[in-house]
Amino acid sequence: MNASQKKANSKTVRFLLLATVLMFGFGYSLVPLYDVFCEITGLNGKTGRIVSADVESKELYDDRLVEVEFVTSVSADLPWDFEPTVEKMLVRPGVETRADFIVKNNANYTLVGNAVPSVAPNAAAKFFNKTECFCFTKQSLEPDQTLTMPVLFVVDPDLPQEVKLLTLGYTFFESLDLASVD
Amino acid sequence: MSEVATHHHDDHHGAHPTGIMRWLTTTNHKDIGTLYLLFSLMMFFIGGTMAMIIRLELFQPGLQFVDPQFYNSMVTMHALIMIFGAVMPAWTGFANWMIPMMIGAPDMALPRLNNWSFWILPFAFTMLLSTLFMPGGAPAGGWTMYPPLVLQTGDAFPFLIFAVHFMGASSIAGAINVVATVFNMRAPGMTLMKLPLFVWTWIITGFLLIASIPVLAGAVTMLLTDKFFGTAFFSAAGGGDPVMFQHIFWFFGHPEVYILILPAFGIVSAIIPTFARKPLFGYSSMVYATGAIAFLSFIVWAHHMFTVGMPLAGELFFMYTTVLIAVPTGVKVFNWVATMWQSSMTFETPMLFALGFVILFTIGGFSGLMLGVTPVDFQYHDTYFVVAHFHYVLVTGAVFALMAGAYFWMPKWTGHMYDETLAKWHFWLSVISVNVLFFPQHFLGLAGMPRRIPDYAVQFADFNMVSSIGGLGYGISQILFVIIVVKCVRGGEKATDEVWEGAQGLEWTLSSPPPYHSFTEAPDPESITGGHR
């Protein structure tokens, strides 16, 4: 191997090693990209969050009602009961609506949980906005404590006409220390 | 392989270590190529033994021989070992042996890295295989390592992750070496468009490895931190999403399948013109088709996950790009057929395996097209149809091309002709048994038999029994290959330098076996014809 080949080799190797490191970084950058993609498209049932002040400005479609049903589940390792007070309700798009959920800790020790929301169908998720939700923060329950938790939400009047039924699902997980949820 | 050793005339290093130290410390591309190929053969039999256990359990409905957890371990380990232990190291072994000789270089560009990239493999696979004896058993969640299931793996989990890291590091190092060798070490006169197609397909494979393996390394590192360090990349409880793992994994996984098959295209493109005694039809279209396949492989990944719940636009995009791959692949198949058209063919064993490849790989390609069509995939997803498809492209595709290449260059490597009669037996037994093994799995899949399950409904019993008999036949036939290799290394009819009548290319201008250090002087530029294969 002559000197110029050695030089060319080390240049090629440097370039390819850089490419390797960049692709490793690219793998990690897929994580935020995936979240952004889901947020823009509403895929994965990720719901929106707005403040109450924004609600009034929307135009109302008086003649339209949308059915919203509530589904709850609890992860296997969390000894909690979790149910909505009503299973479904008719909602006028553009009007802030309240739904209540009841959660009970069956364990004889304090547990911290957080609820992860999801809306189906996916196409409707980005038209479902919450102004207040127990899922925004972690919930801590003493032994045998029962808690009623509200959700305030607004269905965007721009919701596609063909969507007549929205399903809002919550799953309670035992809170991880590093959890960040919205 | 001692014959190779006696031929060396090392004039610039003095004494060489002998015995085991020779193999541990070697930086010679031929020695390292041999190590890779022997390692790969060993893994082929370990992975094959696991396949035999799988087919034994599936011989009849019900649970007879192994418990379901161990069955799942076998399925997972069989895939990991065959992909990362048998096929990928075999291609690197071929690259090591052949690329310097094909481009007129004295050795690989980075000989010490070359030694290192081989010797981390035994450590990686010792780690992976040791999980069979651990509490909780070997990984059993499938080679795709989907969370949350894979996070339930017992003590084996970190061993699985680090084994994958090691295998990845080895293949990236090998890929960097091949790319640097081809870019910088070519003999004068060996222009890029004169490179043999095996070299071309390997450069493109090298880029695929460099671009995709780090993404896998990232994905499995995320699994590791999710399990042990409290991150929540794939855990819904912490705001993560398990489906995201599938996206990241298949962003690696689809280029990976072309990593396994592109060098096979190169080998077949070398063998068919040799035994057809005609130049390869459409050399440059072969190069561009390979590049097109490599590019498309990065934008089709979600066709592995059509059923996770994607918007219509996504399913259409991934369906169209997937089906588009049929165009450059079709270019290749038609070029091979056109090469054989009106040629004077003979049917020595390398040619038989290459022809078997063209026909059977095309069957696997067609079932791949069927799977690429979204609405149809909803029926086929996770059934034995998928198993039949990827075994047609990987066994009768990649493994047949490996066998073809091994027979093609074995006389060059050892200096002896292999036993042609035994080799023909090996081919015919393999080609019949492999079809008995995998063809009925198409029917099982279409009838709805799910994959990765140790038991099945009784209506699937007959085809499973046929498939298991084929599996046993294929497994036993491969022992013939070992016998042929051992016989060929030990002796046999002396091979000429050219070996095959229609052989073209620089490696055939060297003696058989080639000197330990070949092309220390660059070959005569006049002798580089190119474009032929």
Side-chain angles (χ1 to χ4, degrees), chain A residues 15-21 23-24, chain B residues 171-173 175-177 179 205-215 259 298:
Chain A
F15 168 76
L16 294 176
L17 278 177
L18 180 72
T20 306
V21 172
M23 284 313 290
F24 187 75
Chain B
S171 12
I172 290 170
I176 289 177
N177 213 340
V179 173
T205 303
F207 280 115
L208 288 182
L209 281 162
I210 291 163
S212 70
I213 298 275
V215 177
I259 289 164
F298 281 104

Side-chain angles (χ1 to χ4, degrees), chain B residues 288-310:
Chain B
Y288 298 131
T290 312
I293 292 173
F295 168 74
L296 287 172
S297 74
F298 281 104
I299 54 166
V300 298
W301 75 87
H303 67 210
H304 295 271
M305 36 191 294
F306 277 142
T307 56
V308 292
M310 256 189 283

Side-chain angles (χ1 to χ4, degrees), chain B residues 194-382:
Chain B
K194 281 186 176 177
L195 287 176
L197 265 175
F198 178 68
V199 181
W200 255 118
T201 51
W202 232 112
I203 313 175
I204 293 167
T205 303
F207 280 115
L208 288 182
L209 281 162
I210 291 163
S212 70
I213 298 275
V215 177
L216 172 70
V220 297
T221 309
M222 290 179 215
L223 286 176
L224 189 78
T225 57
D226 266 17
K227 171 114 173 160
F228 294 113
F229 301 103
T231 60
F233 287 106
F234 309 125
S235 153
D241 184 351
V243 174
M244 184 174 69
F245 177 84
Q246 302 186 21
H247 282 286
I248 301 175
F249 180 86
W250 286 113
F251 183 85
F252 143 81
H254 203 77
E256 169 70 17
V257 306
Y258 292 106
I259 289 164
L260 299 170
I261 202 67
L262 288 185
F265 293 166
I267 284 188
V268 169
S269 303
I271 292 172
I272 289 181
T274 303
F275 296 95
R277 294 165 181 78
K278 253 178 80 184
L280 183 71
F281 186 89
Y283 170 89
S284 49
S285 69
M286 285 294 211
V287 175
Y288 298 131
T290 312
I293 292 173
F295 168 74
L296 287 172
S297 74
F298 281 104
I299 54 166
V300 298
W301 75 87
H303 67 210
H304 295 271
M305 36 191 294
F306 277 142
T307 56
V308 292
M310 256 189 283
L312 190 63
E315 303 207 313
L316 283 172
F317 173 80
F318 287 110
M319 175 171 85
Y320 290 146
T321 50
T322 301
V323 174
L324 198 58
I325 296 182
V327 176
T329 315
V331 167
K332 290 184 158 296
V333 173
F334 283 118
N335 279 345
W336 291 321
V337 174
T339 306
M340 290 183 274
W341 181 254
Q342 295 195 330
S343 66
S344 2
M345 278 195 284
T346 49
F347 299 94
E348 289 88 340
T349 310
M351 184 62 163
L352 288 176
F353 270 104
L355 292 175
F357 170 92
V358 173
I359 294 163
L360 299 173
F361 174 79
T362 305
I363 292 178
F366 281 139
S367 57
L369 268 178
M370 293 167 73
L371 287 162
V373 178
T374 314
V376 196
D377 180 79
F378 271 69
Q379 186 197 339
Y380 302 160
H381 188 84
D382 261 345

Side-chain angles (χ1 to χ4, degrees), chain A residues 1 5 7-13 15-17 19-32 34-35 37-38 41 43-44 46 114 116 122 173-181, chain B residues 106 108-111 172 175-176 179-181 183-186 207 210-212 214-215 217-218 221-222 225 229-233 235-239 241 243-244 247-248 251 298 309-311:
Chain A
M1 212 184 305
Q5 272 177 336
K7 218 173 131 199
N9 277 340
S10 72
K11 203 175 142 193
T12 311
V13 171
F15 168 76
L16 294 176
L17 278 177
T20 306
V21 172
L22 286 178
M23 284 313 290
F24 187 75
F26 176 74
Y28 271 85
S29 74
L30 285 173
V31 178
Y34 181 82
D35 279 344
F37 191 78
C38 288
T41 57
L43 286 177
N44 225 357
K46 297 219 172 181
N114 59 261
V116 176
N122 281 339
F173 292 96
E174 186 169 2
S175 179
L176 302 173
D177 281 347
L178 297 173
S180 69
V181 284
Chain B
M108 297 292 278
L110 311 153
I172 290 170
I176 289 177
V179 173
T181 306
F183 277 10
N184 305 322
M185 308 283 285
R186 298 192 310 277
F207 280 115
I210 291 163
S212 70
V215 177
T221 309
M222 290 179 215
T225 57
F229 301 103
T231 60
F233 287 106
S235 153
D241 184 351
V243 174
M244 184 174 69
H247 282 286
I248 301 175
F251 183 85
F298 281 104
M310 256 189 283

Side-chain angles (χ1 to χ4, degrees), chain A residues 61-66 91-93 157-163:
Chain A
Y61 291 78
D62 284 337
D63 54 337
R64 189 173 175 207
L65 287 171
V66 176
V91 171
R92 177 150 290 152
D158 295 335
L159 181 76
Q161 285 296 327
E162 67 269 20
V163 181

Side-chain angles (χ1 to χ4, degrees), chain B residues 54 70-80 142-143 452-453:
Chain B
I54 294 168
F70 185 73
Y71 176 89
N72 289 345
S73 286
M74 286 295 102
V75 171
T76 306
M77 297 285 277
H78 165 74
L80 287 169
W143 83 278
R452 292 172 167 165
I453 308 278

